[in-house]
Amino acid sequence: MNKMVHHYIAIFFLFGGFFFLLVGVIGLLRLPDVYTRMHAMGKCDTLGAGLIVIALMILIGDITNITKLVLIGVMIATINPIITHLIAKTAYNRGTPMAEGSFLINDYVASQRRRRRSRVEVAKKGDENS
Amino acid sequence: MIVTVLYSLVVGLVIISFVAIVRAYYGPTVLDRMVAMNVITTNVVIIILMFAYIDRSFYYIDVAFVFVIGAFIATLCILKLLREGHII
């Protein structure tokens, strides 16, 4: 009786995690851009993996293996956002084009380039004067 | 019952991984392929954990842990190569 209740709770968490993984992959297949695909991947994948790890914790029920599963869940929940952030930063620094119709409000790289160019010009003027 | 559910979910995760492989094949830039590889890595970790419960051989959990760390370091090295042109 008790075990059956555990199994039903675990099946609920398993199908929830599978649903989120499926939604993430559909977003990966259908969205138009690197950034939007990454947006779909980063959140849905972390949430789905976390839910399935919780379900396996309920199923296993042994304190040693639950500790290892907690460790794996924490690793996935920290590593996946780090990787997503680094992919976004790399795509932005390489100048990957965005989808049609999207725009930037505050372009950090362009402002840095402008500041560096103005600094170089000021240094050249100082050399000419001296 | 629970074993049947786990087997069907393993089949579903394999199908999801093939869909991600489709994106990795058609991806216009290299970063799309990185994103698809990350999805496949997470799916493989989950499949290893499910087989740890199905076979009742819990040493697979350590295998999954090492797999997570290795995939993380590999992705980090590829991204550093793409950004700076060299790894070390």
Side-chain angles (χ1 to χ4, degrees), chain A residues 51-70:
Chain A
L51 284 178
I52 290 183
V53 166
I54 286 173
L56 287 169
M57 275 184 221
I58 293 170
L59 279 180
I60 288 176
D62 178 19
I63 188 67
T64 315
N65 299 318
I66 281 181
T67 311
K68 290 180 197 169
L69 282 176
V70 167

Side-chain angles (χ1 to χ4, degrees), chain A residues 32-43:
Chain A
D33 196 359
V34 180
Y35 306 98
T36 48
R37 276 170 209 149
M38 207 171 44
H39 168 80
M41 186 274 292
K43 281 179 282 218

Side-chain angles (χ1 to χ4, degrees), chain A residues 4 7-8 11 14-15 18 21-22 25 28-29 34 37-38 41 45 49 52-53 56 59-60 65 68-69 71-72 75-76 79-80 82-83 86-87 89-91 93-94 96, chain B residues 1-2 5-6 9 12-13 16 19-20 22-23 28-32 34-36 38-39 42-43 45-46 49-50 53 58 61-62 64-65 68-69 72 75-76 79 82-83:
Chain A
M4 285 311 284
H7 282 187
Y8 284 129
I11 285 173
L14 280 174
F15 277 107
F18 184 73
L21 288 174
L22 191 67
V25 169
L28 186 70
L29 198 64
V34 180
R37 276 170 209 149
M38 207 171 44
M41 186 274 292
D45 230 16
I52 290 183
V53 166
L56 287 169
L59 279 180
I60 288 176
N65 299 318
K68 290 180 197 169
L69 282 176
L71 210 56
I72 287 180
M75 288 291 285
I76 289 176
I79 279 172
N80 234 341
I82 288 171
I83 292 295
L86 279 177
I87 289 174
K89 208 171 172 183
T90 309
N93 278 338
R94 283 163 69 91
T96 308
Chain B
M1 180 186 68
I2 189 73
V5 171
L6 282 176
L9 283 184
L13 286 174
I16 280 178
V19 174
V22 170
R23 169 50 68 196
T29 67
V30 65
L31 292 159
D32 291 316
M34 294 295 302
V35 172
N38 209 354
V39 170
T42 310
N43 286 342
V45 169
I46 291 168
L49 289 178
M50 281 180 179
Y53 178 72
F58 297 116
I61 298 176
D62 299 337
F65 189 69
V68 169
I69 296 174
F72 172 58
T75 312
L76 217 60
L79 284 174
L82 288 178
R83 280 187 69 192

